[in-house]
């Protein structure tokens, strides 16, 4: 009777995971495709002579934006037919976590891929002769924006196909935390990577001679924007493969779930914020090619500070994973540890985005008025420091929840 009940749990987890995978996975791609189509309408109204070429550009861009949803569809279909192997609650947690990882992780990449698609359509209306170059830039930028979704798909495959059923009971929470961490952690980086990709297409239409340099700088900015997603992937791997045997199930399980939430949620703001700075950097290079070095420096500094909330989340995750806990059945302690992860994770979202907004304007104006670089740098750092304070407050409360409760 018990084996039948567990098998039912496994099937239910797989079905719910499939629903989450495709349900969440459809959100970002639809938004990205809509952005591309809206920009195509604007472009056609400006230059109806090339409407056919613009529509082709739009369709190619939409196809790439839909890739994230196709990833989610693949995982969803696999989950529908998952047999569960050795039926256990650990297997159920892995299947459910796989759906969360892929569904949430596809949101950002779908949205982000729509930005270069839309801006390429707009650029084509202004510079029809650059159709091939714009297409290449759009394809590269959109592909980079899909990277966080690929990270999520890798984690989803591992959660589905690696046999964790022989592990300790902690693995139920660890696998759920792993899926949540990678799913949430991919959202911001997917969106953020789209900003420099879109601005590269805008800049190419403005400065055709700078095509290769804009692509290079786009890749630099997008790579830094991917860092929060990489943090999330690292924590996901740790939750899957570190052995917690010998530690008390309660409250260690709660700590592992909190660890996934801390890094995953905090990565959202830092990914978006870093992308805002990167997009402004590419815009600055296109506006003022002679100020490339100045723009690059302030962009990287702004991105680095925007990463701080995700580093706070990573720190709290490490503490939650590696701190020893005495065995207790008191539910209050477990609640405190999950809340610690939620506090730093949610508390870092606003700071990450806010820091990126500060960096975005500073970087953009250095491209227009390079003589004021030092003043803009100081103002940016002061503004980011103040914006950072709320994430620090959240981290303080998280530390209190971990060590004082």
């Amino acid at each position: 009777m018990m084996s039948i009940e567990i098998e039912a749990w496994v099937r239910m987890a797989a079905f719910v995971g499939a629903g989450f995978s495709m349900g969440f996975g459809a959100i970002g791609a639809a938004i990205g495709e809509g952005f591309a189509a809206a920009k195509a309408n604007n472009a056609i109204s400006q230059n109806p002579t090339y409407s056919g070429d613009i529509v082709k550009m739009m369709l190619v861009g939409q196809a790439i934006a839909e890739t994230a949803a196709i990833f989610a569809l693949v995982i969803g279909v696999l989950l529908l037919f998952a047999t569960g192997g050795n039926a256990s609650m650990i297997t159920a947690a892995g299947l459910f976590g796989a759906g969360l990882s892929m569904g949430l992780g596809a949101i950002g990449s779908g949205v982000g891929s729509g930005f270069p698609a839309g801006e390429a359509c707009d650029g084509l209306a202004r510079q029809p002769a650059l159709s091939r170059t714009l297409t290449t830039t759009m394809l590269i930028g959109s592909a980079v924006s899909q990277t966080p979704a690929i990270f999520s798909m890798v984690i989803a495959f591992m959660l589905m196909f690696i046999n964790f059923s022989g592990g300790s009971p902690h693995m139920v929470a660890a696998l759920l935390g792993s899926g949540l961490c990678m799913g949430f952690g991919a959202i911001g980086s997917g969106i953020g990577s789209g900003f420099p990709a879109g601005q590269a297409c805008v800049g190419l239409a403005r400065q055709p001679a700078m095509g290769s340099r804009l692509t290079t700088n786009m890749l630099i900015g997008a790579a830094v924007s991917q860092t929060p997603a990489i943090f999330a992937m690292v924590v996901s791997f740790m939750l899957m493969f570190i052995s917690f045997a010998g530690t008390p199930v309660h409250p260690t399980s709660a700590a592992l779930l909190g660890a996934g939430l801390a890094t995953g949620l905090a990565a959202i703001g830092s990914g978006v914020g870093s992308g805002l700075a990167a997009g402004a950097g590419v815009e600055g290079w296109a506006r003022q090619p002679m100020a490339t070095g100045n723009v690059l420096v302030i962009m990287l500094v702004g991105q680095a500070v925007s990463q701080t909330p995700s580093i706070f989340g990573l720190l709290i995750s490490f503490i939650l994973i590696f701190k020893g806990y005495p065995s207790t059945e008191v539910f209050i302690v477990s609640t405190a540890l999950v809340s610690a992860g939620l506090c730093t994770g949610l508390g870092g979202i606003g700071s990450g985005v806010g820091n990126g907004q500060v960096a975005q304007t500073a970087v953009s104006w250095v491209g227009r008025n390079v003589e004021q670089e030092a003043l803009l740098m100081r103002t940016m750092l002061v503004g980011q420091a103040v914006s950072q304070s709320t994430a620090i407050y959240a981290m303080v409360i998280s530390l209190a929840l971990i060590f004082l409760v």
Side-chain angles (χ1 to χ4, degrees), residues 246-256 316-328 333 337 401-403:
T247 61
V249 176
H250 303 290
T252 304
S253 295
L256 300 179
I316 294 299
S317 293
F318 283 168
I319 294 173
L320 287 168
I321 290 172
F322 293 110
K323 182 181 181 295
Y325 303 96
S327 179
T328 177
V333 177
L337 295 177
L401 287 167
I402 295 171
F403 291 103

Side-chain angles (χ1 to χ4, degrees), residues 34 62 76-77 124 148 150 264 266 279 282 291 321 342 405:
Q62 286 181 312
V77 171
L124 183 59
I150 295 173
V282 177
I321 290 172
L342 281 170
V405 175

Side-chain angles (χ1 to χ4, degrees), residues 1-348:
M1 183 67 179
M2 181 60 69
S3 62
I4 296 175
E5 183 179 348
I6 292 177
E7 288 175 1
W9 274 107
V10 171
R11 296 296 290 162
M12 286 190 291
F15 292 157
V16 175
F20 277 137
S21 179
M22 194 62 253
F24 283 126
I27 295 173
I31 294 173
E33 289 168 354
F35 181 85
K39 280 289 194 176
N41 281 330
N42 291 339
I44 289 172
S45 67
Q46 295 172 23
N47 195 344
T49 303
Y50 290 90
S51 61
D53 293 332
I54 293 170
V55 169
K56 290 178 184 177
M57 181 78 77
M58 177 195 75
L59 292 174
V60 171
Q62 286 181 312
I64 300 176
E66 191 154 328
T67 304
I70 294 173
F71 292 162
L73 176 64
V74 169
I75 297 299
V77 171
L78 290 173
L79 286 169
L80 286 177
F81 297 99
T83 60
N86 296 322
S88 68
M89 293 305 294
I90 295 175
T91 303
L95 296 176
F96 185 45
L100 289 171
S101 175
M102 188 67 259
L104 292 169
I107 295 175
S109 291
V111 174
S113 294
F115 295 151
E119 299 298 354
C121 292
D122 201 44
L124 183 59
R126 299 179 184 181
Q127 294 278 7
L130 297 177
S131 175
R132 180 173 296 182
T133 308
L134 281 166
T135 301
T136 301
T137 302
M138 179 197 72
L139 291 174
I140 295 172
S142 296
V144 173
S145 299
Q146 291 292 337
T147 307
I150 295 173
F151 292 166
S152 295
M153 184 169 61
V154 169
I155 295 298
F157 274 126
M158 296 176 75
L159 288 169
M160 284 192 296
F161 294 115
I162 294 179
N163 184 9
F164 296 102
S165 59
S168 62
H170 312 76
M171 290 304 297
V172 173
L175 297 183
L176 286 175
S178 178
L180 286 168
C181 185
M182 191 66 255
F184 283 126
I187 294 175
S189 291
I191 296 173
S193 297
F195 293 136
Q199 286 301 319
C201 294
V202 174
L204 183 61
R206 182 179 293 152
Q207 294 277 5
M210 288 191 64
S212 60
R213 182 178 293 183
L214 286 172
T215 300
T216 300
N217 293 334
M218 171 192 75
L219 292 174
I220 293 172
V224 178
S225 301
Q226 303 279 350
T227 307
I230 295 173
F231 290 165
M233 185 167 62
V234 169
V235 172
S236 294
F237 281 134
M238 292 170 64
L239 290 170
M240 281 192 285
F241 295 113
I242 291 178
S243 174
F244 300 100
T247 61
V249 176
H250 303 290
T252 304
S253 295
L256 300 179
L257 184 59
L261 291 169
T263 295
L265 289 169
I268 296 175
S270 292
V272 173
S274 294
L276 290 171
V282 177
E283 178 197 9
W285 288 313
R287 286 184 178 276
Q288 183 56 268
M290 300 303 295
T292 299
N294 307 80
V295 172
L296 178 62
V297 170
I298 194 169
M299 182 197 79
L300 291 176
V301 172
Q303 285 187 299
V305 178
S306 299
Q307 300 285 342
T308 309
S310 65
I311 295 173
F312 292 165
L314 189 65
L315 174 63
I316 294 299
S317 293
F318 283 168
I319 294 173
L320 287 168
I321 290 172
F322 293 110
K323 182 181 181 295
Y325 303 96
S327 179
T328 177
E329 297 297 326
V330 179
F331 191 64
I332 294 175
V333 177
S334 295
T335 303
L337 295 177
V338 173
S339 298
L342 281 170
C343 183
T344 292
L346 293 171

